[in-house]
Amino acid sequence: MFLNSDNQFTARGRLVDNPFINISQETGNAIVSITLAQDHPFKKKGDGTKETVFINYTAIDTQNNKIASRLADYVVKGSLVSLVGFHDSYVKTNEQGKKEYLETKRILQFRNEESKERTEERRKGKV
């Protein structure tokens, strides 16, 4: 088992879609999956442009941290956010009885770099 600090990440980008809350049938916890559009750190050979990558992240409410609910309340499509979290891996048995090793990027903290209202104004062209 890894400690959260062993596999930590930081990320910054804009939300591709509005966050959507799912409720886990096993635990009853709220789960939010988001996708961030992020500039790839390296330029393309030839034309020198940067490429945008789309990376999925997951937030799960716990007894002590309602991160998924807060994320869904405070950000919208196009919001610029910074994330801190860790890479989490788990094993799942598929329908054929084989083990699948899966990985997810779990969000522990987020910072909204612009307000929800400012994001909506910017998207409407008012800013």
Side-chain angles (χ1 to χ4, degrees):
M1 181 174 174
F2 296 104
L3 298 174
N4 294 351
S5 61
D6 289 343
N7 299 299
Q8 201 168 47
F9 71 82
T10 57
R12 186 169 191 242
R14 293 199 181 273
L15 263 71
V16 174
D17 287 312
N18 288 324
F20 180 76
I21 294 181
N22 289 310
I23 304 298
S24 169
Q25 292 181 353
E26 294 176 19
T27 63
N29 291 341
I31 300 171
V32 170
S33 294
I34 61 170
T35 301
L36 287 188
Q38 298 172 264
D39 285 337
H40 196 275
F42 305 107
K43 293 181 179 179
K44 291 181 187 177
K45 288 185 179 179
D47 64 3
T49 60
K50 284 195 173 185
E51 188 174 3
T52 301
V53 294
F54 301 91
I55 302 176
N56 298 320
Y57 299 92
T58 303
I60 301 174
D61 278 357
T62 63
Q63 185 175 2
N64 299 322
N65 188 358
K66 302 297 182 196
I67 187 77
S69 300
R70 288 193 344 261
L71 190 63
D73 287 343
Y74 291 105
V75 298
V76 292
K77 178 181 178 178
S79 291
L80 180 62
V81 296
S82 295
L83 308 174
V84 174
F86 66 98
H87 297 278
D88 193 10
S89 58
Y90 57 97
V91 178
K92 182 178 179 182
T93 304
N94 65 19
E95 293 176 1
Q96 291 78 30
K98 292 190 175 190
K99 289 183 179 179
E100 293 181 1
Y101 296 90
L102 305 168
E103 180 267 334
T104 186
K105 295 166 189 67
R106 290 264 311 263
I107 302 167
L108 293 176
Q109 303 171 25
F110 77 95
R111 183 174 69 210
N112 199 359
E113 302 289 344
E114 66 183 8
S115 71
K116 189 175 184 178
E117 295 77 21
R118 175 120 171 117
T119 301
E120 289 171 344
E121 286 175 0
R122 182 179 47 75
R123 287 179 56 212
K124 292 177 184 175
K126 295 181 179 178
V127 176

